Amino acid sequence: MNPALLADVVAAVHLAIVVFVLAVPFAALAGGLLRWRWIRSPLLRLAHLGIMLYIALNALRNELCFLTHIEFDLRREAGQQGAEGSFVGQVLHDILFVDVDQALLNGIYLGFFALVVLTLVLVPPRRRGADA
């Protein structure tokens, strides 16, 4: 398969994960107030926590996400640099990668991890076998 197209697919998956990561804490807070059962799903909340733990550990190590490395490697293999490539690839790149100091981003990632932990306390997942 074309490495440039694969890079676009990786970027799209990466963006979908970012949207998931950003949406779940806010959905948890709203769901706690509105009594949404689905937001207390242990699988959903633990998957979210796992992804955030990976992000927080990467921030502490000052390391980029493995999806970023894969996308950049594919773009390099396709003879592209940065946001070069298809229109979709450029748009995805512009959404995913902001021109901000990595240390600031790492602080934001760690703060967001704290928010995720707080939402687990405020709106905990239901216990195994629990009704609500």
Side-chain angles (χ1 to χ4, degrees), residues 3-101:
L5 178 60
L6 282 175
D8 289 351
V9 170
V10 169
V13 168
H14 198 172
L15 181 59
I17 292 169
V18 168
V19 169
F20 171 75
V21 162
L22 292 173
V24 168
F26 300 105
L29 293 173
L33 293 172
L34 299 172
R35 301 187 189 275
W36 296 338
R37 284 183 45 105
W38 65 269
I39 201 60
R40 292 186 182 265
S41 164
L43 181 60
L44 170 73
R45 301 297 291 285
L46 291 176
H48 186 261
L49 179 63
I51 293 169
M52 279 308 307
L53 183 59
Y54 171 77
I55 292 167
L57 289 173
N58 273 359
L60 291 172
R61 295 184 325 218
N62 201 33
E63 177 60 45
L64 296 175
C65 177
F66 74 95
L67 292 171
T68 300
H69 289 293
I70 292 171
E71 180 194 349
F72 288 177
D73 289 346
L74 287 166
R75 295 220 182 276
R76 198 170 18 261
E77 185 181 329
Q80 299 174 350
Q81 292 183 0
E84 288 180 4
S86 71
F87 173 76
V88 171
Q90 290 174 4
V91 169
L92 292 171
H93 185 275
D94 289 347
I95 293 170
L96 283 169
F97 302 105
V98 293
D99 189 19
V100 176
D101 184 57

